[in-house]
Amino acid sequence: MSQIDELQRRIIVALDRIGQGLEDRQAGADVQEVETLRQQLEDERLACAQLEERLKKLHEKQDAQDEAATRAREEMAGKVEALDRDLQSLRKANQQLRDNNAALREANAKGVAEPHLINKAMLAELEGLRATHAADRAEADAILAELTRILEGGAADSDETQSEEA
């Protein structure tokens, strides 16, 4: 019986060593798997940080473009207001010119030549020419401002494309 007890004890010790070896192998495999997972997690964190940085830059770019668009709209609104004022002045000068010409025709029909009416007509015509010039200038300024904004936008886009390619 003592031999059986000795064999049984030896079998139990061997089984314990086998079990311990299996646990060590599993622990080694788990450590390697945990290390792999940690590396993947670190890679994902890095990718996430890069994406967040790109998103931040895109938001900044969008904000800058929104501000530029707002400034351009405000500038264009100012140009349109100036053009409208000049057109109102032109309409007023043209109405004065029509009124003075009508008065000149009446005086001419009566055979009365009135120098002050001729002077008023010439002043109204001169004012009309000035108003027309101012309206043309305001319109040209508005067109020039819009073309400049478009060209600057195209130049900025090409600069960004070149910097992204680098």
Side-chain angles (χ1 to χ4, degrees):
M1 266 311 250
S2 84
Q3 269 188 342
I4 292 178
D5 287 337
E6 180 61 26
L7 287 173
Q8 186 178 12
R9 186 188 64 74
R10 285 174 62 191
I11 290 172
I12 289 173
V13 169
L15 286 175
D16 283 343
R17 275 191 277 150
I18 292 170
Q20 186 64 35
L22 287 174
E23 286 177 12
D24 289 345
R25 277 186 140 179
Q26 285 181 341
D30 288 344
V31 169
Q32 186 178 7
E33 185 178 338
V34 168
E35 190 59 37
T36 302
L37 291 174
R38 282 188 182 147
Q39 183 61 41
Q40 288 175 350
L41 179 61
E42 189 60 34
D43 292 346
E44 289 300 318
R45 285 184 179 155
L46 180 62
C48 183
Q50 290 172 344
L51 289 174
E52 286 176 355
E53 186 63 28
R54 285 183 70 199
L55 183 61
K56 180 182 171 185
K57 287 180 183 178
L58 286 173
H59 280 296
E60 289 171 356
K61 180 181 173 183
Q62 182 66 39
D63 291 343
Q65 288 176 344
D66 289 346
E67 289 174 15
T70 300
R71 282 193 306 273
R73 279 192 298 272
E74 289 171 356
E75 183 179 321
M76 187 56 72
K79 299 279 185 189
V80 168
E81 288 175 15
L83 181 61
D84 186 49
R85 282 192 305 271
D86 291 340
L87 288 174
Q88 291 297 330
S89 175
L90 178 62
R91 288 183 185 117
K92 182 179 175 184
N94 284 338
Q95 185 60 45
Q96 287 176 346
L97 185 59
R98 280 192 223 83
D99 293 344
N100 287 341
N101 285 340
L104 274 175
R105 280 191 300 273
E106 272 182 36
N108 194 23
K110 292 179 183 177
V112 180
E114 296 194 28
H116 78 281
L117 288 178
I118 295 172
N119 286 340
K120 281 179 75 177
M122 287 181 16
L123 287 174
E125 184 177 2
L126 183 59
E127 183 61 31
L129 289 172
R130 286 182 183 146
T132 299
H133 177 70
D136 289 345
R137 180 67 184 181
E139 185 178 13
D141 287 345
I143 291 169
L144 184 61
E146 183 65 17
L147 287 174
T148 302
R149 186 185 68 80
I150 290 170
L151 291 175
E152 287 174 353
D157 288 344
S158 68
D159 289 345
E160 290 171 9
T161 303
Q162 290 174 355
S163 67
E164 287 177 4
E165 289 174 358

